Amino acid sequence: MKLKHKDNEWRLGYVFDSGKPVDDVAEMNENQTIIAEHPDSPFNKHSLVTLHTEQGRLTLTNASLTQRATGLQPQLSQTLSRELVRSLMTNFDALLLHSPFQQRKTLLQ
């Protein structure tokens, strides 16, 4: 894939067809395993939390917080201190403990 706003070169990526809704969440188990465990997956190299909203998405990594508005507006990225990232991920881990969803692993390693 090659993202217009982000990439200069083609790279391996993931795609989902919004015209084919998933009827059973179990259908996504293989995709989830690939994303979480495949050595070429960019999503399993460090902790990553993404929050999707109507306005866009926020992504917290081990070093930054990035805000991307819906549409083609440029994204805003801010480098965060290790202490702040750890604090945010600790709070997120606490929320996961009360989640009904099965967890693969904690964010804090």
Side-chain angles (χ1 to χ4, degrees):
M1 73 180 189
K2 185 176 177 183
L3 299 177
K4 183 175 165 181
H5 67 280
K6 185 175 179 181
D7 299 319
N8 293 323
E9 302 293 327
W10 287 94
R11 63 186 173 98
L12 182 63
Y14 301 92
V15 65
F16 298 95
D17 185 346
S18 62
K20 297 179 182 177
V22 175
D23 295 323
D24 181 5
V25 176
E27 295 175 32
M28 300 301 291
N29 288 344
E30 182 180 358
N31 295 351
Q32 183 180 18
T33 300
I34 291 168
I35 290 168
E37 299 174 7
H38 193 281
D40 292 334
S41 173
F43 301 106
N44 61 19
K45 305 303 182 250
H46 53 79
S47 298
L48 174 76
V49 177
T50 300
L51 172 66
H52 293 269
T53 70
E54 289 181 14
Q55 293 78 29
R57 71 176 181 266
L58 290 172
T59 302
L60 174 66
T61 70
N62 60 339
S64 68
L65 179 66
T66 302
Q67 177 181 348
R68 174 121 181 110
T70 301
L72 298 176
Q73 296 99 357
Q75 66 185 24
L76 304 173
S77 189
Q78 178 179 352
T79 302
L80 302 177
S81 71
R82 185 169 177 77
E83 295 78 23
L84 180 55
V85 170
R86 188 155 188 83
S87 173
L88 291 169
M89 289 192 177
T90 297
N91 289 330
F92 188 79
D93 269 359
L95 291 172
L96 285 177
L97 292 175
H98 303 289
S99 168
F101 302 108
Q102 180 181 1
Q103 300 168 39
R104 288 192 174 269
K105 62 181 178 180
T106 180
L107 292 173
L108 300 171
Q109 301 172 2

